[in-house]
Amino acid sequence: MTGNLINALIFSPAQMTICIIVAIAFAALVGLNVYLFVIYRVKQERKMYDEQLQNRRKALLDKLEYLKAGGEPEKRSWLDYAVDDEDEEEDGGKKYVTVRVAVGEKPVNAEVISVDEMTPRVRRKLGFRAKRHSGKKFYVRYSLGFDAKLRYSDDETKARYIAIMDEIHKYGGINIVKQFSNIRICAGKETLAMVLFGGKRICVAFALDPAEFEKTKYRGEDKSEKKRFAKTPMLVRIGSDEKTEIVKYLINVLAKKRSLPPAKPRKITYDLTERTQEEMIAKGSVRVIVIDEAPDIMEKKTARVETQSESEKTDVTVPTVITASVPQETDETADFAAEVAAAGES
């Protein structure tokens, strides 16, 4: 009786074969659908990218035709001369920039600034003196710090930054250390997270193992090979509200791992209004990279080189080196007053 029941429940060889074939066909169909979906998505992304390139090309050609027809070129902002320093390393809050350019060579994408038009405080920040550099002009580029990038960002980016910082402020026992290119979230001497910019996107790097979240929707980029991210190897770029929620979740995970206590509820205000170029430089939120003297100065140098005797001339170009110091965050009221007085005497 039992044997007959078992035999009745077991598929015959033919039925088993049919089931296996159906299962294989179903798996193949699912795999084919996934493959076609991936191919379709890749093609759509390429199409969108090609359309963007075509639109950009058309815009550039239209602009060229406009200029050829005698149109006025667009006036560039000083922000157009900012350099991309996403991978810049921290150096204790102080940095000296030295750039060598051959005499007579015009730098690419650089603005000309006049020492005479600078305020005494900005002039001092850049290492210029009213008498010594009077009448001189220089080619410069700008390096924007975290504060400057945030102030000049769009409203969505500012809102995401506020949401992130509000989440961080929910926990006690943390210190917020503001540096030139980032904000570090610390517990004692330990860095828990780092808020920074990657291009125009705000990012958060966590002191978490990227492999732990690799197969989840909370995964981030593994930056462990870079010295800058040695303590915070898991980077999340925030380009949407969904990513903002992911970052908030990871902050909670990190707080639980470090047993951070809840903080007392308090109202946090954020001043993210745009500031002028002069204010940003004086505050230290923007670094000025001085490249070389402007054309009228370089012509004089070239003339002096050409007056040398033929025996002294070589094929080696003579470099011009200008060093600009980084603005400091210390109180320099006394030095500033002395500089103003010196400028008045001159």
Side-chain angles (χ1 to χ4, degrees), residues 64-115:
L64 180 61
E65 290 299 324
Y66 171 75
L67 293 174
K68 285 182 177 180
E72 291 291 331
E74 293 181 14
K75 188 175 180 180
R76 301 186 69 182
S77 164
W78 67 276
L79 292 170
D80 294 327
Y81 302 101
V83 296
D84 183 10
D85 55 356
E86 180 179 348
D87 296 323
E88 179 185 344
E89 298 290 343
E90 289 299 325
D91 47 14
K94 188 175 182 181
K95 180 180 180 182
Y96 291 90
V97 180
T98 301
V99 182
R100 288 181 171 84
V101 176
V103 171
E105 181 181 337
K106 183 178 179 181
V108 178
N109 194 36
E111 185 181 35
V112 177
I113 61 172
S114 172
V115 176

Side-chain angles (χ1 to χ4, degrees), residues 21 29 96 105 130 195 213 245 256 258 268 301 324 335:
I21 293 174
L29 184 61
Y96 291 90
E105 181 181 337
V195 186
F213 302 89
E245 293 303 316
K256 289 179 181 178
R258 300 300 191 276
I268 307 294
K301 289 191 174 186
D335 295 335

Side-chain angles (χ1 to χ4, degrees), residues 221-267:
E221 299 176 32
D222 187 350
K223 293 287 187 177
S224 56
E225 293 184 357
K226 292 198 173 183
K227 181 181 177 182
R228 186 184 188 188
F229 298 97
K231 298 179 180 179
T232 54
M234 181 172 164
L235 179 73
V236 179
R237 299 177 186 269
I238 308 171
S240 64
D241 293 339
E242 181 183 358
K243 285 290 186 180
T244 304
E245 293 303 316
I246 288 175
V247 166
K248 291 166 68 174
Y249 170 80
L250 292 173
I251 291 171
N252 295 331
V253 170
L254 195 57
K256 289 179 181 178
K257 285 179 177 288
R258 300 300 191 276
S259 300
L260 297 179
K264 294 180 179 180
R266 55 180 176 143
K267 177 80 172 173

Side-chain angles (χ1 to χ4, degrees), residues 115-130 275 277-286 288 325-343:
V115 176
D116 293 342
E117 295 176 1
M118 299 178 187
T119 63
R121 188 178 183 186
V122 170
R123 189 162 57 239
R124 184 181 182 283
K125 288 284 185 180
L126 301 183
F128 294 129
R129 294 294 179 266
R275 301 286 181 86
Q277 175 189 11
E278 180 182 313
E279 289 174 322
M280 289 284 93
I281 294 174
K283 185 181 178 183
S285 298
V286 171
V288 181
S325 60
V326 174
Q328 303 297 307
E329 296 296 336
T330 55
D331 185 7
E332 300 174 292
T333 307
D335 295 335
F336 173 55
E339 177 64 13
V340 174

